[in-house]
């Protein structure tokens, strides 16, 4: 039988090696003022400048949100219905009838712009905060995923492989921001154990690694009309964040939180106040659904705690066995489009879900 040589966008970025990715980036550069220089280690950073973000007030939807949705729409889940409850729990999470919801993170909306009012220095200020995955230096979601469905590449981008994710939501539980969101009725568990395992698939921003592989900026960066979102070599982005903070007598977020992240924020308003405003607004609106994260300052990385280290060590052998089983399953299924798991450091965890119904 003749082999099908057609490669989809998703297959392309999963097959792209780190060397090829870095070559593309070095050849094209990114966006000024952090263009081209210092790409030898491949690590990238994103800076979100809250002093520049106005939430795209003159548009129906923030342009970064719209661009993200358009770029990733072919990857959004199409659940098989009727949906089954998460055994042994009496619930499931279904966002498929809320695909147009842009006010929080969902499996169909991987970035959103939060909006709060904060009184600072005697004046009330409106703050717009683009939110998406923070792409942590030491991602708890990756290290504690029991099936190694979450990996981190040479750029620092953290991605979920939706075809081996069982939707147990451990990644969301251990993320300080609860970023990944779950859709029931999709995923590998439907083929393996639809009544006994899993709960769907988790979805989140992957920093548009397919675009990075082509030397292009992530969709949100390209779409931002005010230049509030920029990307470049990690060290340059970090330096730029602190330079900007000094200029506006402001603050940097993401450099220390959860052990450090590839997504940095700069603001003229303290992030403690922004976090408090988000919590207060959620309480006022009785908003308890997942997908609207706060901004806790100096939050500790779960993997640095005794419990986190213990769980990671205990679950590592299970994760290895799971990877071997999934590899065999893929071979049987003839799935030639999937990448081989190469980084054994991205293994460990437990399948545990404690979230409430939507």
């Amino acid at each position: 039988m003749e082999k099908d040589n057609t490669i989809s966008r998703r297959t392309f970025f999963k097959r792209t090696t780190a060397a090829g990715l870095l070559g593309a980036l070095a050849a094209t550069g990114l966006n000024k003022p952090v263009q081209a220089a210092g790409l030898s280690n491949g690590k990238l950073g994103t800076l979100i400048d809250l002093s520049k973000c106005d939430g795209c007030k003159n548009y129906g939807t923030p342009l970064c949100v719209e661009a993200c949705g358009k770029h990733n729409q072919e990857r959004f889940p199409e659940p098989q219905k009727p949906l089954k409850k998460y055994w042994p729990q009496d619930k499931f999470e279904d966002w498929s009838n809320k695909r147009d919801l842009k006010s929080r993170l969902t499996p169909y909306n991987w970035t959103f712009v939060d909006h709060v009012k904060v009184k600072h220095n005697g004046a009330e200020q409106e703050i717009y905060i683009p939110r998406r995955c923070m792409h942590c230096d030491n991602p708890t979601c990756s290290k504690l995923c029991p099936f190694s469905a979450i990996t981190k590449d040479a750029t620092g981008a953290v991605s979920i492989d939706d075809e081996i994710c069982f939707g147990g939501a451990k990644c969301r539980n251990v993320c300080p921001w609860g970023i990944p969101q779950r859709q029931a009725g999709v995923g590998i568990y439907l083929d393996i154990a639809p009544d006994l395992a899993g709960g769907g698939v988790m979805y989140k921003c992957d920093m548009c690694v397919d675009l990075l592989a082509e030397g292009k900026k992530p969709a949100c960066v390209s779409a931002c009309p005010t230049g509030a979102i920029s990307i470049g070599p990690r060290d340059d982005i970090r330096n730029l964040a602190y330079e900007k903070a000094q200029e506006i007598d402001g603050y940097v977020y993401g450099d220390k939180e959860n052990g450090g992240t590839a997504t940095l924020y700069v603001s003229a308003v303290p992030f403690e106040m922004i976090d408090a405003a988000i919590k207060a607004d959620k309480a006022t609106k009785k908003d308890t659904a997942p997908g609207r994260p706060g901004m806790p300052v100096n939050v500790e990385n779960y993997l640095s705690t005794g419990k986190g280290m213990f769980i990671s060590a205990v679950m590592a052998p299970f994760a290895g066995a799971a990877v071997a089983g999934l590899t065999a399953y893929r071979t049987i299924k003839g799935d030639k489009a999937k990448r081989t798991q190469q980084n054994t450091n991205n293994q460990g965890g437990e399948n545990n879900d404690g979230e409430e119904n939507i």
Side-chain angles (χ1 to χ4, degrees):
M1 181 181 294
E2 184 177 350
K3 292 185 179 180
D4 182 7
N5 292 320
T6 302
I7 301 178
S8 68
R9 174 175 60 80
R10 179 168 59 187
T11 301
F12 172 71
F13 81 70
K14 287 185 177 180
R15 288 184 176 181
T16 302
T17 63
L21 171 61
L22 299 180
L25 291 172
T28 61
L30 292 166
N31 61 317
K32 297 178 181 179
V34 285
Q35 178 179 340
L39 285 174
S40 59
N41 63 7
K43 293 182 180 179
L44 300 176
T46 305
L47 176 61
I48 300 176
D49 186 346
L50 301 188
S51 70
K52 292 183 178 181
C53 180
D54 63 0
C56 291
K57 295 179 183 179
N58 297 324
Y59 299 87
T61 300
L63 296 189
C64 60
V65 177
E66 185 176 277
C68 176
K70 286 182 178 179
H71 180 68
N72 293 297
Q73 60 185 350
E74 69 180 58
R75 299 173 57 198
F76 292 159
E78 293 297 338
Q80 297 181 22
K81 296 186 177 182
L83 300 175
K84 296 183 179 182
K85 295 179 179 179
Y86 300 153
W87 181 91
Q89 302 174 68
D90 187 26
K91 67 174 185 177
F92 58 77
E93 292 180 45
D94 179 24
W95 296 93
S96 61
N97 294 325
K98 303 175 183 178
R99 300 183 188 218
D100 294 332
L101 185 63
K102 305 300 182 184
S103 58
R104 64 194 322 110
L105 299 174
T106 79
Y108 303 91
N109 192 54
W110 300 355
T111 185
F112 82 103
V113 179
D114 210 338
H115 175 216
V116 293
K117 295 180 180 180
V118 177
K119 190 172 183 179
H120 180 55
N121 291 335
E124 185 176 74
Q125 300 186 34
E126 284 191 296
I127 310 294
Y128 294 90
I129 316 112
R131 303 307 304 272
R132 56 165 176 70
C133 180
M134 298 290 288
H135 298 284
C136 301
D137 294 340
N138 189 24
T140 52
C141 61
S142 174
K143 298 296 178 65
L144 296 181
C145 175
F147 299 102
S148 293
I150 307 179
T151 56
K152 176 181 173 181
D153 70 12
T155 69
V158 180
S159 305
I160 298 176
D161 187 335
D162 60 1
E163 294 190 17
I164 62 172
C165 174
F166 274 81
K170 183 61 179 179
C171 56
R172 181 172 61 191
N173 294 346
V174 299
C175 172
W177 302 278
I179 297 294
Q181 300 304 321
R182 176 167 57 182
Q183 175 59 47
V186 291
I188 191 174
Y189 85 99
L190 293 173
D191 294 330
I192 295 178
D195 295 319
L196 300 176
V201 170
M202 309 302 293
Y203 294 89
K204 71 172 191 67
C205 158
D206 63 6
M207 208 191 293
C208 289
V209 289
D210 55 332
L211 292 180
L212 293 179
E214 298 173 0
K216 299 176 182 177
K217 306 171 191 175
C220 61
V221 178
S222 297
C224 181
T226 65
I229 311 175
S230 56
I231 189 169
R234 177 66 178 276
D235 290 341
D236 290 354
I237 282 289
R238 184 177 184 274
N239 291 337
L240 184 62
Y242 282 98
E243 289 173 6
K244 178 65 178 180
Q246 187 173 16
E247 289 176 7
I248 64 175
D249 192 23
Y251 308 85
V252 173
Y253 186 84
D255 191 33
K256 307 296 183 183
E257 283 69 27
N258 205 38
T261 77
T263 302
L264 302 182
Y265 288 82
V266 62
S267 169
V269 175
F271 287 97
E272 292 90 343
M273 300 180 72
I274 295 175
D275 182 53
I278 294 172
K279 291 177 179 176
D281 191 63
K282 290 175 67 175
T284 299
K285 296 176 180 177
K286 297 182 180 181
D287 181 357
T288 60
R292 190 185 175 192
M295 302 196 84
V297 175
N298 294 325
V299 63
E300 184 178 24
N301 189 300
Y302 183 71
L303 293 170
S304 66
T305 67
K307 183 178 180 180
M309 288 187 286
F310 174 76
I311 293 176
S312 179
V314 168
M315 295 306 296
F318 169 77
V323 170
L326 289 170
T327 300
Y329 172 79
R330 281 178 164 173
T331 301
I332 293 172
K333 296 289 287 185
D335 184 1
K336 59 182 178 296
K338 285 294 173 185
R339 62 184 174 189
T340 301
Q341 296 293 330
Q342 295 178 342
N343 188 352
T344 56
N345 290 330
N346 287 333
Q347 299 179 2
E350 62 178 343
N351 190 4
N352 181 27
D353 176 12
E355 296 295 333
E356 299 296 327
N357 287 316
I358 296 171

